[in-house]
């Protein structure tokens, strides 16, 4: 058991998990620090935890707590100062035909079918493509905080993408996005640009993108959205840390 003394949450405890295979750096073991009990983590408390580098997976609020690695760096985009690149502007324009709709955070066979197609195409062999319906529900549909499920459909009503987003006091947290793997034009980048736009409309300064991992191709893309802040040594800083050595 590990207490996080800098957090003003006297009722919470912080536990380190047992080691498990890292999903992003092959051959590495990972550990997480989990905040408990989960029922005490309401929307306000969760907002503060995210600002301390935590993230949510279903009902679990955690942050990396690995023994010999510090490669996972929390990153948040300054949505007020963000300026899209030419490529990002083209991507956003390309997907203007998609129509967003906030839907109920509940089971949908249509959503699950799209999720399984996405996992099989994007995460084949990594274990995530083996998720069953119960795991899907625990991962994306279980929440005690202010969560939105947003559908993106084309002009014909076909479901193209789904984004799960948490609403915080100071911003939005991009939990997970999955989309039709045959959809061209970087739909993942479009989803982030759309969420930045939403932050601006809601007068929220930050879009939290989870963890930037320099040596993981799946996570390195997050540095393409600038200006951003990176949390290391216990504070948010304007520049990413010096190149990290992955042991």
């Amino acid at each position: 058991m590990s207490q996080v003394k800098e957090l003003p949450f006297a009722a919470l405890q912080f536990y380190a998990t047992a080691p498990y295979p890292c999903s992003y750096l092959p051959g590495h073991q990972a550990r997480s620090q989990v905040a408990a009990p989960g029922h005490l983590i309401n929307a306000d408390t969760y907002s503060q935890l995210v600002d301390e580098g935590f993230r949510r997976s279903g009902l679990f609020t955690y942050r990396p707590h690995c023994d010999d690695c510090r490669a996972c760096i929390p990153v948040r985009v300054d949505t007020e100062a963000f300026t899209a690149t030419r490529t990002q502007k083209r991507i956003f324009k390309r997907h203007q035909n998609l129509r967003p709709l906030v839907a109920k955070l509940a089971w949908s066979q249509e959503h699950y079918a799209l999720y399984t197609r996405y996992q099989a195409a994007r995460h084949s062999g990594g274990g995530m493509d083996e998720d069953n319906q119960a795991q899907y529900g625990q991962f994306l549909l279980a929440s005690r905080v202010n969560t939105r499920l947003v559908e993106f459909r084309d002009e014909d009503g076909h479901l193209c993408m789904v984004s799960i987003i948490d609403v915080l006091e100071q911003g939005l947290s991009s939990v997970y996005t999955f989309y039709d793997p045959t959809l061209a034009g970087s739909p993942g980048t479009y989803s982030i640009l759309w969420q930045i736009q939403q932050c601006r409309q809601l007068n929220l300064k930050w879009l939290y993108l989870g963890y930037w991992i320099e040596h993981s191709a799946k996570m390195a893309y997050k540095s393409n959205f600038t200006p951003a802040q990176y949390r290391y040594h216990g504070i948010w800083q304007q520049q990413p840390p010096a190149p990290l050595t992955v042991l």
Side-chain angles (χ1 to χ4, degrees):
M1 183 178 72
S2 174
Q3 283 278 14
V4 180
K5 295 180 181 179
E6 69 270 18
L7 294 175
F9 308 121
L12 295 181
Q13 300 290 318
F14 298 85
Y15 296 88
T17 68
Y20 55 89
C22 179
S23 300
Y24 301 104
L25 299 176
H28 287 253
Q29 291 288 299
R31 282 157 61 95
S32 295
Q33 187 178 56
V34 179
H39 70 272
L40 294 183
I41 302 176
N42 57 26
D44 292 341
T45 303
Y46 180 63
S47 291
Q48 297 176 64
L49 285 168
V50 171
D51 213 41
E52 294 287 341
F54 282 79
R55 190 151 175 82
R56 183 179 67 81
S57 177
L59 299 179
F60 295 94
T61 302
Y62 71 96
R63 66 181 176 184
H65 193 65
C66 303
D67 296 328
D68 300 311
C69 181
R70 298 294 181 268
C72 293
I73 306 295
V75 58
R76 63 185 185 182
V77 180
D78 184 340
T79 64
E80 294 176 353
F82 172 78
T83 301
T85 65
R86 289 185 179 181
T87 299
Q88 290 169 342
K89 289 177 181 178
R90 286 196 297 267
I91 291 171
F92 192 81
K93 184 176 181 179
R94 176 168 185 164
H95 295 293
Q96 286 298 283
N97 64 313
L98 297 181
R99 297 293 177 262
L101 174 67
V102 177
K104 187 176 181 180
L105 188 68
W107 167 261
S108 163
Q109 181 59 44
E110 184 183 26
H111 296 168
Y112 181 66
L114 181 64
Y115 174 81
T116 55
R117 289 178 58 205
Y118 172 82
Q119 293 294 346
R122 304 284 295 191
H123 298 288
S124 179
M128 294 184 73
D129 56 328
E130 300 174 0
D131 284 359
N132 58 31
Q133 295 183 19
Q135 290 170 326
Y136 166 81
Q138 293 167 6
F139 173 38
L140 294 179
L141 304 181
S143 174
R144 293 190 181 96
V145 298
N146 191 356
T147 302
R148 299 286 185 269
L149 185 154
V150 185
E151 299 178 343
F152 294 83
R153 296 180 182 271
D154 63 18
E155 299 97 327
D156 298 321
H158 297 136
L159 181 67
C160 296
M161 183 166 65
V162 172
S163 289
I164 309 295
I165 304 166
D166 288 338
V167 182
L168 312 174
E169 290 182 351
Q170 69 279 17
L172 299 178
S173 176
S174 184
V175 177
Y176 201 74
T177 292
F178 55 94
Y179 49 82
D180 183 345
T182 67
L183 188 62
S186 301
T189 293
Y190 170 76
S191 72
I192 294 176
L193 296 172
W194 185 85
Q195 290 174 50
I196 289 173
Q197 183 187 66
Q198 291 302 296
C199 285
R200 289 175 168 176
Q201 292 180 2
L202 296 170
N203 293 318
L204 297 172
K205 182 174 179 59
W206 303 109
L207 175 62
Y208 292 81
L209 295 181
Y211 302 113
W212 170 74
I213 306 174
E214 181 184 16
H215 297 285
S216 169
K218 294 179 181 179
M219 293 296 191
Y221 74 92
K222 296 179 182 182
S223 62
N224 295 332
F225 300 88
T226 58
Q229 290 188 350
Y230 300 80
R231 185 177 175 83
Y232 55 102
H233 300 315
I235 59 174
W236 290 99
Q237 304 189 43
Q238 298 297 331
Q239 299 294 329
L244 299 168
T245 301
V246 179
L247 302 178

